[in-house]
Amino acid sequence: MIGDARAVELLIKALEDDGFFVRTNARDALIMIGEPAVEPLIQAMHDEDDDVREAAAVVLGEIGDARAIEPLTQALEDEDYGVRRAAKEALEKIRGK
């Protein structure tokens, strides 16, 4: 909640947690951190876990940084429907800003 960028890597790891509230709070914290989380989130778009890729796409859309356009565009071809949907919605948000 304090927005410290030093927590980014741990928060991205928390996106893998089995607990819904842990994942949701991690996403919210990454959104609050904003720009310092963009590059690690872009890397998380290549994670083997579908839930991590989907959450990373959601957060990137909320942050709205143009650096995420290319990886989100690539994610439109992801094998997982949830990732594709999240990437589409994130791109719409970024392009709308």
Side-chain angles (χ1 to χ4, degrees):
M1 298 301 289
I2 62 172
D4 192 330
R6 294 177 294 179
V8 169
E9 295 300 326
L10 291 173
L11 289 167
I12 290 174
K13 184 72 175 153
L15 296 175
E16 300 175 13
D17 196 272
D18 290 333
F20 172 77
F21 292 110
V22 173
R23 292 190 313 270
T24 301
N25 287 330
R27 278 194 337 216
D28 292 346
L30 286 162
I31 292 166
M32 289 180 67
I33 290 170
E35 189 278 327
V38 171
E39 289 298 329
L41 285 164
I42 288 171
Q43 294 303 315
M45 292 296 299
H46 302 289
D47 196 276
E48 64 185 38
D49 188 320
D50 299 343
D51 292 332
V52 172
R53 295 193 311 274
E54 182 177 348
V58 169
V59 175
L60 286 167
E62 292 297 321
I63 294 172
D65 192 297
R67 291 176 288 172
I69 291 174
E70 180 60 31
L72 289 168
T73 301
Q74 292 174 1
L76 295 173
E77 302 293 325
D78 196 276
E79 63 190 30
D80 182 76
Y81 171 76
V83 175
R84 292 191 309 269
R85 180 184 43 78
K88 178 183 177 290
E89 292 173 3
L91 284 165
E92 290 170 353
K93 286 181 181 183
I94 292 171
R95 291 182 176 138
K97 288 189 175 184

